[in-house]
Amino acid sequence: MAAPEIEIILNRQLADCLSVPVFIVDPEGTLLFYNEPAESILGKRFEETGEMKRMEWSTIFQPIDGEGRPIPPEELPLVIALTQQKPAHKRFFIKNYNGDRHRINVTSYPIIGRSKKFSGAVAIFWTDNEDV
Amino acid sequence: MKIRILGCRGSYPTAKKENALYGQSTSCVEVIHDGRRLILDAGTGILGLNFSDYFDLPRIDIFLTHLHMDHIQGLGFFKPLFVPGKEVHIWGPGGSTHSLKNRLNRYLSPPLFPLPLRDLPCELEIHELADSDFSIDGLNIKTEFVIHPGPTIGYRIERGEKIFVYIPDHEPMIGSQELYSGSRWISGSSLCAQADVLIHDAQYTEEEYESRYGWGHSSVKHMIELAEHSKVKTVYMFHHDPDHSDAFLEDMVTKAQKKVDDPLLSVKLASQGLEIEI
């Protein structure tokens, strides 16, 4: 399997150093990596899930609004970063592997390298469980 | 394919007798195949080339990994550039804002150099590379960006089944001596895969690296891990620190050889004047 571009590798190195959860996907939305802080929100270690296709992870980690209604994929920051190649931010809830509900703030940005090649996207998220 | 090392000192050229044995000139490597000559980097080592070989060639190709001074300092003094009409191709990494030509011109122009690039009498063509694949006279060349401050690429040169890889400046993992398990997540690993010969940055001991995070260079441990992950056959420690004497380098390589787990991997010291045939 080919190595990812260095922009992706550097984002992973950065993610490993951060205390906030980070999620990295390739241009097709395949989950390439999430860091240890993300594991506690998502409910599983990355070593257990490994890489996942977009359809798979987007159904496992169910995004819902404050009323419990599903959020359409096109409104999710990571999907916007992937499809429109622009940064996006949103506050919403997810249900994780274990059925736990977390309110999170998500900021996503596209990864576009020096050669202008789009290599994927990153989502950084913060749990926000006040007033849930 | 013959590989000649003209310069393997990192950062700046030295003039001390204590490090004369392994070389005082900065990065330059020549690849010779079927009468063709490729020059990798143009540090002060380029001045050790036999210029008359190049006066006679119909075309000259110089491949730059990046534009730090120790990799371009000799370029302006490479006399074949001053032959009117001589076809010269300079290849190097593109940037996200300024072109390779603009960035090269910052050095090759007054006040740092007497002539601007445009006044060189040769027929100069500049080619920007990124993650690229191309061929020159039977040599297949692949380039990829690697982790080092500023746009920096490594080169993989293949002829038939023989593979030579050149990554003189590289910090594959910033802030840690341990690379990720599995080579997929290691900068440079695709370039290095199954290489017969890898010339790679090994500027620091593990102890030195602890106080040099982010400076863009590898510890010996980084180099060995990358070579082992990538199933390299022989790796040459390169980009010797100017403060490392010949005796210190010999101690480094002896210790490095003891750290190798893969019995098929050989670790050697690059030295100025060394010729490698693969």
Side-chain angles (χ1 to χ4, degrees):
Chain A
M1 196 181 284
E5 284 83 8
I6 61 160
E7 297 84 358
I8 297 279
I9 294 174
L10 282 165
N11 270 282
R12 176 176 175 170
Q13 291 192 16
L14 173 64
D16 278 335
C17 301
L18 297 180
S19 61
V20 291
V22 177
F23 200 87
I24 302 173
V25 297
D26 73 7
E28 285 73 47
T30 300
L31 169 64
L32 296 176
F33 176 73
Y34 56 83
N35 63 357
E36 278 187 26
E39 291 172 353
S40 60
I41 294 179
L42 301 174
K44 276 214 170 181
R45 298 182 63 233
F46 177 68
E47 284 70 22
E48 294 173 82
T49 66
E51 293 191 3
M52 273 190 283
K53 297 289 183 196
R54 181 166 152 185
M55 287 305 294
E56 196 181 344
W57 64 256
S58 63
T59 53
I60 289 170
F61 311 123
Q62 297 167 41
I64 51 176
D65 65 17
E67 311 300 321
R69 291 174 299 221
I71 297 175
E74 61 273 18
E75 291 181 18
L76 295 172
L78 191 53
V79 175
I80 293 170
L82 274 172
T83 56
Q84 301 179 40
Q85 296 182 22
K86 66 179 192 184
H89 179 86
K90 194 176 180 68
R91 186 191 224 190
F92 55 97
F93 294 83
I94 59 164
K95 270 191 191 169
N96 69 11
Y97 259 114
N98 307 323
D100 301 329
R101 199 169 96 144
H102 293 274
R103 186 162 74 185
I104 56 174
N105 286 284
V106 177
T107 297
S108 292
Y109 59 88
I111 302 174
I112 300 169
R114 292 185 185 111
S115 51
K116 310 291 187 281
K117 184 179 173 190
F118 175 59
S119 307
V122 173
I124 302 179
F125 44 108
W126 291 264
T127 52
D128 176 13
N129 284 330
E130 289 173 22
D131 308 323
V132 173
Chain B
M1 181 161 42
K2 184 191 280 185
I3 300 150
R4 291 180 66 215
I5 297 176
L6 284 307
C8 50
R9 189 62 57 178
S11 306
Y12 54 87
T14 62
K16 298 175 191 165
K17 66 176 189 300
E18 293 80 19
N19 50 25
L21 181 61
Y22 290 97
Q24 301 174 319
S25 297
T26 63
S27 299
C28 183
V29 168
E30 185 183 38
V31 176
I32 305 167
H33 158 63
D34 258 1
R36 288 284 281 122
R37 292 171 182 269
L38 311 182
I39 300 168
L40 304 181
D41 278 330
T44 58
I46 199 173
L47 306 176
L49 285 170
N50 185 0
F51 291 159
S52 61
D53 290 339
Y54 288 85
F55 290 134
D56 295 340
L57 286 177
R59 152 185 183 148
I60 296 171
D61 290 274
I62 301 171
F63 296 86
L64 303 175
T65 55
H66 63 304
L67 303 192
H68 287 166
M69 205 59 171
D70 53 329
H71 294 256
I72 61 168
Q73 197 170 5
L75 186 61
F77 305 99
F78 181 57
K79 291 190 171 56
L81 293 179
F82 295 89
V83 176
K86 171 68 77 182
E87 185 182 341
V88 178
H89 298 260
I90 296 180
W91 309 71
S96 52
T97 49
H98 297 286
S99 67
L100 176 61
K101 185 177 182 180
N102 279 347
R103 289 183 293 122
L104 259 181
N105 208 38
R106 287 182 192 166
Y107 161 56
L108 284 170
S109 62
L112 297 180
F113 192 74
L115 284 181
L117 203 56
R118 65 174 178 273
D119 285 353
L120 289 175
C122 64
E123 287 294 326
L124 182 62
E125 271 193 53
I126 294 182
H127 308 264
E128 295 204 357
L129 299 169
D131 295 344
S132 312
D133 253 311
F134 54 100
S135 293
I136 293 180
D137 292 346
L139 294 172
N140 296 320
I141 301 173
K142 183 179 178 189
T143 64
E144 279 182 9
F145 283 114
V146 295
I147 298 175
H148 186 68
T152 303
I153 51 177
Y155 289 90
R156 177 185 175 95
I157 300 174
E158 296 181 15
R159 183 203 166 208
E161 308 231 312
K162 299 297 181 186
I163 302 166
F164 165 54
V165 178
Y166 177 67
I167 311 179
D169 291 45
H170 188 205
E171 186 175 10
M173 187 78 185
I174 299 173
S176 169
Q177 305 268 2
E178 307 286 336
L179 303 187
Y180 293 118
S181 60
S183 61
R184 177 165 150 64
W185 281 97
I186 302 172
S187 165
S189 60
S190 296
L191 283 179
C192 294
Q194 311 285 338
D196 294 285
V197 170
L198 165 64
I199 285 181
H200 194 276
D201 190 343
Q203 182 154 351
Y204 304 133
T205 64
E206 288 167 58
E207 296 73 28
E208 288 170 330
Y209 182 69
E210 293 297 321
S211 59
R212 290 164 173 82
Y213 290 166
W215 288 23
H217 298 290
S218 292
S219 69
V220 175
K221 189 168 192 293
H222 282 142
M223 182 203 71
I224 292 172
E225 280 204 34
L226 171 59
E228 288 188 327
H229 276 301
S230 307
K231 309 289 181 204
V232 168
K233 295 184 182 71
T234 304
V235 60
Y236 285 86
M237 295 165 59
F238 194 86
H239 209 270
H240 305 318
D241 192 287
D243 286 335
H244 289 172
S245 67
D246 294 327
F248 192 92
L249 288 173
E250 286 169 355
D251 185 54
M252 277 176 82
V253 74
T254 301
K255 287 175 178 164
Q257 286 159 345
K258 288 177 183 161
K259 286 180 181 154
V260 174
D261 292 325
D262 182 352
L264 300 178
L265 172 65
S266 173
V267 179
K268 297 180 177 178
L269 268 180
S271 63
Q272 194 170 318
L274 180 69
E275 295 191 358
I276 306 159
E277 188 85 43
I278 58 171

